[in-house]
mmCIF file of all heavy atoms in Angstrom:
data_model
loop_
_atom_site.group_PDB
_atom_site.id
_atom_site.type_symbol
_atom_site.label_atom_id
_atom_site.label_comp_id
_atom_site.label_asym_id
_atom_site.label_seq_id
_atom_site.Cartn_x
_atom_site.Cartn_y
_atom_site.Cartn_z
ATOM 1 N N ARG A 25 127.939 106.204 196.102
ATOM 2 C CA ARG A 25 126.582 105.880 196.528
ATOM 3 C C ARG A 25 126.378 104.381 196.462
ATOM 4 O O ARG A 25 126.790 103.725 195.525
ATOM 5 C CB ARG A 25 125.563 106.606 195.633
ATOM 6 C CG ARG A 25 124.099 106.328 196.065
ATOM 7 C CD ARG A 25 123.118 107.045 195.158
ATOM 8 N NE ARG A 25 123.293 108.493 195.272
ATOM 9 C CZ ARG A 25 122.638 109.366 194.531
ATOM 10 N NH1 ARG A 25 121.809 108.947 193.606
ATOM 11 N NH2 ARG A 25 122.856 110.658 194.695
ATOM 12 N N ALA A 26 125.714 103.824 197.442
ATOM 13 C CA ALA A 26 125.480 102.379 197.468
ATOM 14 C C ALA A 26 124.627 101.976 196.279
ATOM 15 O O ALA A 26 123.652 102.649 195.937
ATOM 16 C CB ALA A 26 124.777 101.991 198.776
ATOM 17 N N GLU A 27 125.036 100.871 195.665
ATOM 18 C CA GLU A 27 124.287 100.387 194.506
ATOM 19 C C GLU A 27 122.913 99.903 194.943
ATOM 20 O O GLU A 27 122.736 99.319 196.003
ATOM 21 C CB GLU A 27 125.035 99.218 193.834
ATOM 22 C CG GLU A 27 126.303 99.638 193.139
ATOM 23 C CD GLU A 27 126.913 98.477 192.378
ATOM 24 O OE1 GLU A 27 126.253 97.425 192.284
ATOM 25 O OE2 GLU A 27 128.028 98.636 191.890
ATOM 26 N N GLN A 28 121.904 100.168 194.072
ATOM 27 C CA GLN A 28 120.564 99.691 194.344
ATOM 28 C C GLN A 28 120.528 98.183 194.143
ATOM 29 O O GLN A 28 121.059 97.670 193.176
ATOM 30 C CB GLN A 28 119.558 100.353 193.388
ATOM 31 C CG GLN A 28 119.455 101.850 193.581
ATOM 32 C CD GLN A 28 118.425 102.429 192.632
ATOM 33 O OE1 GLN A 28 117.696 101.708 191.970
ATOM 34 N NE2 GLN A 28 118.382 103.742 192.548
ATOM 35 N N GLN A 29 119.908 97.522 195.079
ATOM 36 C CA GLN A 29 119.804 96.078 194.983
ATOM 37 C C GLN A 29 118.620 95.706 194.102
ATOM 38 O O GLN A 29 117.521 96.251 194.264
ATOM 39 C CB GLN A 29 119.605 95.471 196.380
ATOM 40 C CG GLN A 29 120.793 95.661 197.291
ATOM 41 C CD GLN A 29 122.041 94.998 196.731
ATOM 42 O OE1 GLN A 29 121.991 93.878 196.238
ATOM 43 N NE2 GLN A 29 123.164 95.705 196.795
ATOM 44 N N PRO A 30 118.801 94.789 193.138
ATOM 45 C CA PRO A 30 117.687 94.382 192.289
ATOM 46 C C PRO A 30 116.632 93.656 193.109
ATOM 47 O O PRO A 30 116.948 92.964 194.075
ATOM 48 C CB PRO A 30 118.334 93.435 191.271
ATOM 49 C CG PRO A 30 119.578 92.946 191.942
ATOM 50 C CD PRO A 30 120.055 94.068 192.791
ATOM 51 N N GLN A 31 115.369 93.854 192.698
ATOM 52 C CA GLN A 31 114.281 93.185 193.390
ATOM 53 C C GLN A 31 114.326 91.693 193.108
ATOM 54 O O GLN A 31 114.699 91.266 192.025
ATOM 55 C CB GLN A 31 112.935 93.733 192.893
ATOM 56 C CG GLN A 31 112.599 95.113 193.410
ATOM 57 C CD GLN A 31 111.221 95.516 192.927
ATOM 58 O OE1 GLN A 31 110.945 95.502 191.731
ATOM 59 N NE2 GLN A 31 110.356 95.868 193.852
ATOM 60 N N PRO A 32 113.939 90.862 194.068
ATOM 61 C CA PRO A 32 113.800 89.437 193.789
ATOM 62 C C PRO A 32 112.777 89.232 192.677
ATOM 63 O O PRO A 32 111.857 90.043 192.534
ATOM 64 C CB PRO A 32 113.279 88.867 195.133
ATOM 65 C CG PRO A 32 113.649 89.889 196.149
ATOM 66 C CD PRO A 32 113.622 91.205 195.453
ATOM 67 N N PRO A 33 112.926 88.153 191.888
ATOM 68 C CA PRO A 33 112.008 87.915 190.759
ATOM 69 C C PRO A 33 110.542 87.936 191.164
ATOM 70 O O PRO A 33 109.712 88.512 190.471
ATOM 71 C CB PRO A 33 112.435 86.533 190.257
ATOM 72 C CG PRO A 33 113.865 86.409 190.653
ATOM 73 C CD PRO A 33 113.983 87.137 191.946
ATOM 74 N N ARG A 34 110.213 87.314 192.312
ATOM 75 C CA ARG A 34 108.808 87.264 192.724
ATOM 76 C C ARG A 34 108.296 88.657 193.071
ATOM 77 O O ARG A 34 107.172 89.025 192.716
ATOM 78 C CB ARG A 34 108.658 86.344 193.931
ATOM 79 C CG ARG A 34 107.210 86.178 194.398
ATOM 80 C CD ARG A 34 107.089 85.173 195.527
ATOM 81 N NE ARG A 34 107.475 83.841 195.075
ATOM 82 C CZ ARG A 34 107.460 82.787 195.873
ATOM 83 N NH1 ARG A 34 107.106 82.911 197.138
ATOM 84 N NH2 ARG A 34 107.819 81.596 195.412
ATOM 85 N N ALA A 35 109.122 89.458 193.743
ATOM 86 C CA ALA A 35 108.719 90.826 194.102
ATOM 87 C C ALA A 35 108.554 91.683 192.853
ATOM 88 O O ALA A 35 107.633 92.494 192.759
ATOM 89 C CB ALA A 35 109.750 91.447 195.033
ATOM 90 N N ALA A 36 109.460 91.500 191.890
ATOM 91 C CA ALA A 36 109.365 92.256 190.637
ATOM 92 C C ALA A 36 108.093 91.887 189.883
ATOM 93 O O ALA A 36 107.419 92.752 189.308
ATOM 94 C CB ALA A 36 110.588 91.962 189.769
ATOM 95 N N ALA A 37 107.754 90.599 189.890
ATOM 96 C CA ALA A 37 106.541 90.140 189.215
ATOM 97 C C ALA A 37 105.300 90.739 189.861
ATOM 98 O O ALA A 37 104.395 91.238 189.182
ATOM 99 C CB ALA A 37 106.465 88.617 189.233
ATOM 100 N N MET A 38 105.255 90.726 191.194
ATOM 101 C CA MET A 38 104.115 91.286 191.907
ATOM 102 C C MET A 38 103.999 92.781 191.666
ATOM 103 O O MET A 38 102.916 93.330 191.568
ATOM 104 C CB MET A 38 104.248 91.005 193.406
ATOM 105 C CG MET A 38 104.005 89.558 193.787
ATOM 106 S SD MET A 38 102.372 88.972 193.273
ATOM 107 C CE MET A 38 101.322 90.065 194.229
ATOM 108 N N SER A 39 105.162 93.456 191.580
ATOM 109 C CA SER A 39 105.169 94.897 191.322
ATOM 110 C C SER A 39 104.573 95.206 189.963
ATOM 111 O O SER A 39 103.844 96.181 189.793
ATOM 112 C CB SER A 39 106.605 95.426 191.404
ATOM 113 O OG SER A 39 106.639 96.800 191.086
ATOM 114 N N SER A 40 104.885 94.355 188.949
ATOM 115 C CA SER A 40 104.338 94.556 187.602
ATOM 116 C C SER A 40 102.838 94.326 187.580
ATOM 117 O O SER A 40 102.077 95.066 186.955
ATOM 118 C CB SER A 40 105.020 93.602 186.607
ATOM 119 O OG SER A 40 106.394 93.895 186.488
ATOM 120 N N VAL A 41 102.382 93.261 188.276
ATOM 121 C CA VAL A 41 100.965 92.912 188.263
ATOM 122 C C VAL A 41 100.138 93.931 189.046
ATOM 123 O O VAL A 41 99.038 94.299 188.645
ATOM 124 C CB VAL A 41 100.765 91.487 188.848
ATOM 125 C CG1 VAL A 41 99.282 91.191 189.048
ATOM 126 C CG2 VAL A 41 101.395 90.455 187.934
ATOM 127 N N ALA A 42 100.663 94.397 190.176
ATOM 128 C CA ALA A 42 99.914 95.302 191.043
ATOM 129 C C ALA A 42 100.334 96.753 190.838
ATOM 130 O O ALA A 42 100.313 97.552 191.766
ATOM 131 C CB ALA A 42 100.107 94.896 192.504
ATOM 132 N N SER A 43 100.726 97.114 189.639
ATOM 133 C CA SER A 43 101.229 98.461 189.387
ATOM 134 C C SER A 43 100.095 99.472 189.238
ATOM 135 O O SER A 43 98.975 99.132 188.852
ATOM 136 C CB SER A 43 102.085 98.475 188.110
ATOM 137 O OG SER A 43 101.294 98.276 186.969
ATOM 138 N N TYR A 44 100.420 100.730 189.529
ATOM 139 C CA TYR A 44 99.461 101.817 189.360
ATOM 140 C C TYR A 44 99.087 101.965 187.892
ATOM 141 O O TYR A 44 97.943 102.265 187.557
ATOM 142 C CB TYR A 44 100.092 103.108 189.897
ATOM 143 C CG TYR A 44 99.218 104.323 189.706
ATOM 144 C CD1 TYR A 44 98.159 104.577 190.574
ATOM 145 C CD2 TYR A 44 99.450 105.205 188.656
ATOM 146 C CE1 TYR A 44 97.353 105.683 190.398
ATOM 147 C CE2 TYR A 44 98.643 106.317 188.479
ATOM 148 C CZ TYR A 44 97.592 106.551 189.346
ATOM 149 O OH TYR A 44 96.788 107.641 189.159
#
Side-chain angles (χ1 to χ4, degrees):
R25 182 181 297 175
E27 290 186 8
Q28 296 181 9
Q29 295 299 317
Q31 285 183 305
R34 183 175 296 180
M38 287 302 298
S39 177
S40 296
V41 171
S43 69
Y44 177 80

